[in-house]
Amino acid sequence: MAVVAVGSVLAVAGCSSAGDGADESASLRYWLWDSNQLPAYEQCVEDFTAANPEITVEIEQVGWNDYFETLTTSLVGGDAPDVITNHASFYPELATNGQLLPLDDVAVDLTSFREGLAERWIGQDGKRYGLPKDWDTVATLYNVDYVTEAGYAAEDLADLDWNPTDGGSWEQVIAHLTVDANGVRGDEPGFDKSKVEVYGLGLKAKSGIGAFGQTQWSPYALTNDWTYADENPFGTDFNYGEDEYIATIEWWAGLIEKGYMPSYESAISGTSIQEAYGAGRYALVTDGSWNAKAYFSMTGVTTALAPLPIGPSGERAGVLNGLADSVLASTEHPDAAEKFVGYLATADCQDIVADAAVVFPAVASSSEKARAAFDAAGIDVSVYFDAVDAGAFVEAPIADKWSSILAIMEPAVEAVLLGQGDADTLRAAAGEVDALFD
């Protein structure tokens, strides 16, 4: 995630154009970062413009790792799109600086969304800055053949526990699933951690690894008597200096030292966690629901889902997040842009997205249709739904200055993973985060 450059968004002056009315011709640009969803949204655009021939919409696909950096550049250069896919953790900065249009006047049935999603997009000023498009959370995905060969069954993975002292049964399974070049498992005498063929647990680089950790350390820290900040949304006292967080990061990084998880150098080498898993390098990964179909679609690998481990709290916890569509204040066509995001937030569009079986739409009825579409594709996504229905989640942090928090915490956690940092590194970074809100 390009987080350092995102901070420069704060320096871009917010502006708004009166623009064309909805009854006049308008040409809109819409940014989307998930290429897997592009065909579905192309169909949504086709349907929308057929019903509104005075409006044209061009979708521009900008990859996640470059998304907010590119947005910063476009805002500075006066070449920003009209409508963007937005992230809950990032929108407060844009809203605070006048770069998003309030969407309170857009006629949308807010009761149609899954519980809690619409409320996440109300800013500190009480205005709405996004209309929900989907929701997501995290689970364990695993290579069925590797798990079976190791002597485990699905039910064994459904009841694992974790703690920062010895890793619990979760670490025991990770160790046993790790295999070196000589076929020796990680929990057997003679295991050579310098020549690992299959790692028990995969590692995803970047992607908010320091402050967010949604698909990395959050399932552990959030069940270890820790949470991101004093409140959510809009916390101002963050907890990255607490012992529970530091113990979690140190245990997690210790999996690299033991040879059970790949080095961070390899994780940032250009090979994604999905590519490494598909190549047979990882037995287990923790990843988001938006990537589930990609794992299940891999040839030569049979994949299944399992719940996250239970932590010292006695609970499971994955981060619950959700994206929304927002209108930039710089648009020359505010009425047309608001009409478009209003359509994107309806079942008419979200049912199309549901049929693609890639993500879970925000509209509750569309979300259930997505679940059926996944089932039809042979992918049982009940683990994700069951976790949310059971309340086994913590909502993604929503805070002002989030890009600055990311820019501080990412290199600190990376230093620990690289063996170049320690608890003092994390505490120093936590102090910098605290200073942002002094």
Side-chain angles (χ1 to χ4, degrees):
M1 185 187 304
V3 295
V4 176
V6 176
S8 62
V9 172
L10 299 175
V12 183
C15 58
S16 178
S17 302
D20 296 335
D23 59 338
E24 299 177 0
S25 62
S27 179
L28 304 177
R29 294 164 58 207
Y30 173 44
W31 277 18
L32 187 73
W33 68 61
D34 187 354
S35 60
N36 293 322
Q37 297 182 60
L38 184 58
Y41 278 101
E42 287 176 336
Q43 184 61 57
C44 285
V45 165
E46 182 177 332
D47 293 351
F48 174 77
T49 54
N52 301 275
E54 76 281 5
I55 303 173
T56 60
V57 180
E58 178 184 1
I59 301 178
E60 298 178 8
Q61 200 272 314
V62 181
W64 167 248
N65 287 337
D66 302 317
Y67 191 85
F68 284 99
E69 181 180 8
T70 307
L71 178 60
T72 299
T73 302
S74 70
L75 286 166
V76 172
D79 188 37
D82 302 275
V83 178
I84 61 169
T85 300
N86 211 346
H87 190 285
S89 294
F90 284 99
Y91 88 84
E93 290 181 275
L94 294 167
T96 297
N97 290 278
Q99 293 162 334
L100 299 179
L101 287 183
L103 302 176
D104 301 270
D105 295 333
V106 178
V108 172
D109 180 8
L110 298 177
T111 66
S112 69
F113 301 118
R114 280 182 66 96
E115 183 178 358
L117 294 181
E119 291 75 12
R120 293 169 55 77
W121 294 90
I122 298 175
Q124 291 176 281
D125 58 2
K127 297 179 181 179
R128 178 174 303 282
Y129 290 102
L131 294 177
K133 67 192 291 99
D134 59 38
W135 64 271
D136 61 69
T137 190
V138 180
T140 303
L141 297 109
Y142 64 92
N143 183 310
V144 174
D145 292 336
Y146 286 168
V147 166
T148 302
E149 289 169 5
Y152 298 120
E155 52 267 28
D156 296 317
L157 298 187
D159 194 30
L160 299 176
D161 61 78
W162 167 84
N163 70 74
T165 303
D166 60 16
S169 59
W170 174 248
E171 182 173 327
Q172 292 172 14
V173 168
I174 292 171
H176 193 62
L177 288 170
T178 302
V179 184
D180 71 14
N182 296 315
V184 179
R185 295 188 177 275
D187 57 353
E188 296 175 342
F191 170 69
D192 187 350
K193 66 180 183 179
S194 69
K195 297 178 181 179
V196 177
E197 289 289 324
V198 177
Y199 291 97
L201 183 64
L203 174 60
K204 178 183 285 189
K206 305 295 183 179
S207 193
I209 197 168
F212 194 19
Q214 183 182 18
T215 57
Q216 296 117 340
W217 49 259
S218 67
Y220 316 121
L222 294 171
T223 59
N224 191 31
D225 194 29
W226 183 87
T227 192
Y228 292 100
D230 56 340
E231 58 183 2
N232 192 26
F234 312 121
T236 57
D237 185 8
F238 284 79
N239 300 321
Y240 299 112
E242 290 190 354
D243 291 342
E244 292 79 6
Y245 172 81
I246 292 172
T248 298
I249 298 299
E250 289 184 321
W251 167 81
W252 180 58
L255 296 177
I256 296 175
E257 174 59 27
K258 295 172 183 177
Y260 305 158
M261 191 165 71
S263 69
Y264 195 67
E265 291 93 336
S266 66
I268 60 177
S269 66
T271 301
S272 71
I273 189 172
Q274 294 173 38
E275 291 170 330
Y277 175 87
R281 295 285 286 159
Y282 303 154
L284 307 174
V285 296
T286 53
D287 211 341
S289 52
W290 64 92
N291 282 328
K293 188 175 185 179
Y295 285 98
F296 278 84
S297 300
M298 293 175 180
T299 58
V301 181
T302 302
T303 298
L305 281 158
L308 296 169
I310 299 168
S313 66
E315 306 290 339
R316 309 179 199 273
V319 170
L320 174 69
N321 195 25
L323 307 182
D325 292 305
S326 300
V327 177
L328 291 182
S330 56
T331 180
E332 296 181 355
H333 309 288
D335 294 332
E338 290 180 3
K339 190 172 187 178
F340 179 55
V341 297
Y343 165 72
L344 294 177
T346 65
D348 290 341
C349 174
Q350 296 198 13
D351 280 354
I352 294 172
V353 176
D355 289 340
V358 175
V359 294
F360 307 143
V363 172
S365 59
S366 302
S367 184
E368 290 303 317
K369 289 183 178 180
R371 185 174 188 169
F374 273 98
D375 286 342
I379 305 172
D380 182 0
V381 290
S382 297
V383 168
Y384 293 112
F385 281 80
D386 291 347
V388 173
D389 291 343
F393 65 85
V394 171
E395 292 190 351
I398 299 173
D400 204 0
K401 304 183 181 180
W402 183 245
S403 61
S404 297
I405 296 171
L406 286 170
I408 292 169
M409 292 307 302
E410 180 170 297
V413 171
E414 287 183 325
V416 176
L417 292 170
L418 290 166
Q420 301 167 359
D422 54 20
D424 289 339
T425 306
L426 297 175
R427 290 191 182 96
E432 292 181 47
V433 172
D434 290 341
L436 294 173
F437 297 94
D438 287 345

